Amino acid sequence: VVDKGNNDVTAQLDESQLIVFYFSAHWCPPCRQFTPMLKKFFDTARQLGDTGLQIIFVSSDNSEMEFTEYYYKHHGDWWAVPYKERQIKEKLSSQYSVSGIPFVAVINGWGQAAIGHTREDIMQAAQGPSTEVLRVLAKWRAAAGVVTNRPDQLPSGAAVTVCGLTGAAEHNGKTGKIQGYNSEKGRYTVDVGDKQLALKCGNLVQQLKVTHDGKAGVVDSLEDDSVKVTIGSESVLCEGTALRWPTGARLRLFGLSKEEYNEKIVEVKGFDDAAGRYVVQLDAATQLRVLPEKLSLRLAL
């Protein structure tokens, strides 16, 4: 598998959360109609911060020249099976029962086609709001058995700063890494130095990579309702609305008209610049578009 720079990226396939094979050819009129929709779908996913999707073009063009022109001029910034690898193309076509093109196969961890009607999903999402793309990707991941962290929990491996402890105040200000979550006790297991602590989310501040006034920084701590951010050698104290939260951040909802959503923890999936709102995941089936002032880094009051 190669990218558009003709670099072998086969080893990177293990890093992709979701692999999609796209069987197509320039001589096929329906393919020429569908490829722009797929490109919009892919580009929207990237713009919303979803980098786990990887599309691989499998060509049915009549020559390498046709493949090259079609791939480089009309396809998105995804990968391809080199045209010369005709045996691989035939094997994939047989494995996924490709009887006509365009054909899209979403692959699970065992290399099996995980879901049907993907063309319809893509066409509907490409013509709908950007959040529809994220909904489709969530459905595909569920069908493919892709394991994702819950949007209402801090993910394992997340770097955090301990704060607000009274019984073990000596740990406040120390940094650690989340190892897991005990749902029965409602506490996270956090490695802090050579100790392992069981802490509530209200005693943890995510060390997020954020942007402030166009400058990259890292969240250091919370001070009342303000966020302390380290930018280079300086520390800046600012409101959360002055920061651009990264994809994957967990934030708390508050002040919404739908009171049942308030105080829920959500996962940031991206930012809609046109609407000036964050796209957040509440649960497996619910996405919201939320104004920045309705989100807080403090996960519990």
Side-chain angles (χ1 to χ4, degrees):
V1 178
V2 297
D3 62 15
K4 285 196 169 180
N6 204 35
N7 301 301
D8 188 338
V9 292
T10 306
Q12 297 180 37
L13 287 174
D14 290 340
E15 302 174 9
S16 300
Q17 295 181 1
L18 193 66
I19 297 174
V20 176
F21 284 114
Y22 176 42
F23 298 82
S24 181
H26 186 261
W27 53 259
C28 164
C31 295
R32 293 198 299 271
Q33 293 177 344
F34 179 72
T35 298
M37 298 183 193
L38 182 60
K39 184 177 185 298
K40 181 179 179 182
F41 181 92
F42 181 84
D43 290 346
T44 300
R46 286 290 193 266
Q47 291 165 8
L48 292 175
D50 192 311
T51 59
L53 169 68
Q54 191 51 255
I55 296 175
I56 301 173
F57 171 41
V58 184
S59 171
S60 293
D61 289 296
N62 293 319
S63 68
E64 187 158 7
M65 183 180 296
E66 289 183 5
F67 159 79
T68 300
E69 182 177 2
Y70 186 36
Y71 178 47
Y72 285 92
K73 289 187 177 181
H74 301 282
H75 283 241
D77 190 22
W78 52 68
W79 300 342
V81 174
Y83 185 80
K84 63 182 180 181
E85 303 292 350
R86 293 291 84 190
Q87 289 185 340
I88 295 178
K89 179 263 180 185
E90 294 300 330
K91 181 178 179 180
L92 291 172
S93 296
S94 175
Q95 182 174 350
Y96 300 117
S97 303
V98 179
S99 58
I101 56 174
F103 186 88
V104 180
V106 177
I107 309 307
N108 64 20
W110 300 273
Q112 301 168 330
I115 189 171
H117 307 296
T118 47
R119 279 180 58 194
E120 288 81 357
D121 282 343
I122 293 165
M123 292 168 67
Q124 290 178 7
Q127 296 171 17
S130 58
T131 51
E132 184 67 10
V133 172
L134 295 177
R135 186 195 66 78
V136 169
L137 289 173
K139 183 179 81 170
W140 288 2
R141 286 190 170 95
V146 175
V147 177
T148 56
N149 289 294
R150 287 181 49 163
D152 61 343
Q153 294 178 3
L154 296 172
S156 297
V160 293
T161 301
V162 180
C163 66
L165 294 179
T166 55
E170 68 272 14
H171 295 302
N172 289 332
K174 293 182 179 180
T175 59
K177 184 172 290 187
I178 291 178
Q179 298 300 320
Y181 180 71
N182 186 323
S183 58
E184 292 183 0
K185 296 182 178 180
R187 292 175 180 263
Y188 290 91
T189 301
V190 185
D191 283 345
V192 179
D194 58 354
K195 294 184 179 295
Q196 194 168 77
L197 308 178
L199 301 174
K200 296 179 179 180
C201 66
N203 296 117
L204 300 170
V205 177
Q206 301 161 82
Q207 293 180 324
L208 300 171
K209 294 181 180 179
V210 296
T211 303
H212 178 263
D213 286 341
K215 298 178 180 179
V218 178
V219 170
D220 180 55
S221 61
L222 285 171
E223 297 188 12
D224 296 324
D225 293 328
S226 299
V227 184
K228 187 177 181 181
V229 180
T230 299
I231 301 176
S233 60
E234 299 181 353
S235 291
V236 177
L237 196 64
C238 61
E239 299 298 316
T241 51
L243 301 173
R244 177 61 61 89
W245 302 114
T247 299
R250 268 48 172 196
L251 303 173
R252 176 175 56 87
L253 296 171
F254 70 97
L256 298 180
S257 57
K258 288 192 175 182
E259 294 186 2
E260 64 269 26
Y261 292 156
N262 289 327
E263 306 309 314
K264 299 289 187 182
I265 296 174
V266 294
E267 178 184 359
V268 173
K269 304 300 290 186
F271 188 79
D272 187 333
D273 288 292
R277 294 172 181 256
Y278 283 95
V279 179
V280 298
Q281 193 80 32
L282 178 66
D283 53 41
T286 309
Q287 282 187 344
L288 307 173
R289 291 154 66 92
V290 183
L291 291 168
E293 57 265 31
K294 303 298 183 181
L295 293 165
S296 173
L297 182 61
R298 192 179 295 280
L299 298 182
L301 294 175

